[in-house]
């Protein structure tokens, strides 16, 4: 969907703000995800706090949908970390799609750190109502 | 199978090296630099002499549904995370994201200046900046001869 993710990955290998120390590879975490199925589409909602639409990359390859992303580093050297419960992580999660999903028409919306993917079902997979004609 | 295992232990093991290794492993086990708790939201606290910054991961919130209160040196973050609206025709396959009301109280190392507290909610991350109140700042007392 976006190629900017590669740029941010490249940034990781470079020292930030002239610091000599190499940046450690971030832990990879699977984001908490909800999956729903509506009549017309599959809906996937994933928590990616701190990430913008530019930080997330969504790919579909061989029926595997992959969500990848990590927030741009914004470390503040002015302040000491006094207490830590979360760290900057890289998010990654894959889902295998069935043939019934129209991969061409996947929609993705990012809002307040939550990614919502709408995967429309292929026409053949949608429920059909059959009208009964009076003879 | 046995030869494999015995070969692993047949080399001379220095008991001290082994102890040190064990100790390192134990230290890692009880490493307190990361406090993973089940409390929601997860917070990081940054600060220096004059300011504290509380950063919380609360994705998908309506900022109006986030309530912040400061009482003395205790900051409380409250809110309600709405569930995705789901109708009866919708099948739920996975529901890993938590929903509902949450509240968390965080004790700060000092009292903040209530007038100068600022909060910002961006990309699902809440940042509360709490400047230290003048009254609690350390005072230098001159020693007179």
């Amino acid at each position: 969907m976006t190629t900017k993710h590669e740029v941010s990955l490249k940034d990781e290998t470079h020292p930030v703000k002239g610091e000599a120390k190499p940046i450690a590879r971030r832990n990879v975490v699977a984001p908490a995800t909800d999956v729903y199925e509506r009549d017309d589409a599959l809906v996937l909602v994933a928590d990616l706090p701190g990430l913008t639409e530019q930080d997330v990359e969504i790919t579909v390859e061989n029926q595997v949908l992959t969500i990848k992303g990590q927030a741009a580093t914004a470390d503040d050297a002015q302040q000491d970390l006094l207490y830590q419960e979360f760290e900057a992580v890289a998010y990654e999660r894959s889902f295998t799609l069935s043939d019934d999903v129209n991969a061409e028409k996947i929609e993705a919306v990012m809002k307040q750190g939550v990614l919502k993917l709408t995967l429309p079902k292929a026409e053949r997979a949608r429920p059909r109502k059959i009208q009964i004609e009076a003879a | 199978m046995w030869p494999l295992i015995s070969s692993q232990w047949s080399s001379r093991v220095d008991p001290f090296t082994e102890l040190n290794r064990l100790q390192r492993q134990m230290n890692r086990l009880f490493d307190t630099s990361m406090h993973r708790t089940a409390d929601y939201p997860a917070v990081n606290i940054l600060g220096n002499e004059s300011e504290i910054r509380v950063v919380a991961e609360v994705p998908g919130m309506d900022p109006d549904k986030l309530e912040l209160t400061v009482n003395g040196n205790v900051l409380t973050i409250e809110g309600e995370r709405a569930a995705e609206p789901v109708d009866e025709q919708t099948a739920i396959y996975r529901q890993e994201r938590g929903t509902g009301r949450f509240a968390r109280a965080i004790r700060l190392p000092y009292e903040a200046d209530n007038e100068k507290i600022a909060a910002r909610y961006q990309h699902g991350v809440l940042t509360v900046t709490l400047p230290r109140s003048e009254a609690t700042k350390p005072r230098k007392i001159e020693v007179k001869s």
Side-chain angles (χ1 to χ4, degrees):
Chain A
M1 197 182 73
T2 159
T3 52
K4 290 201 173 162
H5 177 68
E6 281 169 33
V7 178
S8 74
L9 258 186
K10 205 171 147 203
D11 282 347
E12 280 303 289
T13 59
H14 289 288
V16 171
K17 291 177 195 164
E19 278 177 353
K21 66 174 181 188
I23 291 156
R25 210 183 125 79
R26 288 183 188 177
N27 287 332
V28 179
V29 170
T33 307
D34 292 349
V35 182
Y36 304 108
E37 184 184 345
R38 297 197 314 237
D39 277 353
D40 58 336
L42 276 168
V43 181
L44 213 139
V45 187
D47 278 346
L48 299 162
L51 275 68
T52 66
E53 54 273 25
Q54 272 103 48
D55 301 327
V56 182
E57 187 193 55
I58 301 155
T59 52
V60 181
E61 199 183 342
N62 297 329
Q63 303 287 68
V64 176
L65 170 86
T66 304
I67 303 166
K68 268 189 194 185
Q70 59 183 337
T73 44
D75 284 333
D76 198 340
Q78 303 277 298
Q79 290 179 318
D80 296 327
L81 192 54
L82 306 176
Y83 177 80
Q84 187 179 29
E85 285 179 351
F86 65 88
E87 57 188 339
V89 292
Y91 289 100
E92 185 171 341
R93 193 153 180 183
S94 296
F95 296 88
T96 306
L97 305 174
S98 71
D99 293 339
D100 298 337
V101 166
N102 189 345
E104 300 293 313
K105 289 196 176 145
I106 296 174
E107 274 176 47
V109 180
M110 191 80 184
K111 194 182 170 191
Q112 291 292 17
V114 177
L115 173 73
K116 188 170 181 176
L117 279 174
T118 308
L119 305 99
K121 287 188 199 171
E123 219 34 70
R124 63 177 180 281
R126 294 186 189 193
R128 262 183 308 251
K129 214 172 199 172
I130 294 152
Q131 291 288 338
I132 305 169
E133 281 171 45
Chain B
M1 206 159 153
W2 268 113
L4 234 167
I5 293 167
S6 62
S7 72
Q8 196 185 338
W9 290 99
S10 63
S11 62
R12 224 154 27 95
V13 176
D14 177 356
F16 290 102
T17 314
E18 190 61 13
L19 261 177
N20 284 336
R21 188 184 64 82
L22 256 177
Q23 188 161 21
R24 275 201 307 276
Q25 281 184 354
M26 291 304 270
N27 285 345
R28 209 175 301 149
L29 205 62
F30 296 108
D31 189 1
T32 50
S33 63
M34 277 283 281
H35 307 256
R36 286 183 207 278
T37 68
D39 294 324
Y40 188 87
V43 295
N44 280 355
I45 304 174
L46 297 99
N48 54 28
E49 288 277 294
S50 58
E51 194 179 84
I52 285 285
R53 206 147 50 106
V54 177
V55 186
E57 287 191 323
V58 271
M61 291 288 301
D62 172 355
D64 294 338
K65 296 260 166 68
L66 271 172
E67 292 162 49
L68 296 172
T69 41
V70 178
N71 188 0
N73 65 340
V74 177
L75 166 74
T76 309
I77 302 170
E78 271 180 89
E80 185 162 1
R81 212 156 97 118
E84 284 286 313
V86 170
D87 59 27
E88 279 185 14
Q89 267 79 53
T90 305
I92 299 165
Y93 294 141
R94 251 173 226 277
Q95 215 158 28
E96 297 168 355
R97 302 166 61 245
T99 54
R101 275 206 76 80
F102 61 84
R104 190 156 186 206
I106 296 142
R107 192 172 294 277
L108 306 169
Y110 42 70
E111 275 190 34
D113 185 341
N114 286 343
E115 302 301 311
K116 290 183 185 157
I117 298 171
R120 197 174 54 135
Y121 184 62
Q122 203 178 28
H123 312 314
V125 177
L126 173 74
T127 308
V128 190
T129 313
L130 306 113
R132 188 172 190 167
S133 75
E134 286 299 323
T136 67
K137 277 188 184 167
R139 267 182 309 151
K140 213 172 195 174
I141 294 152
E142 248 176 73
V143 182
K144 285 175 188 162
S145 58

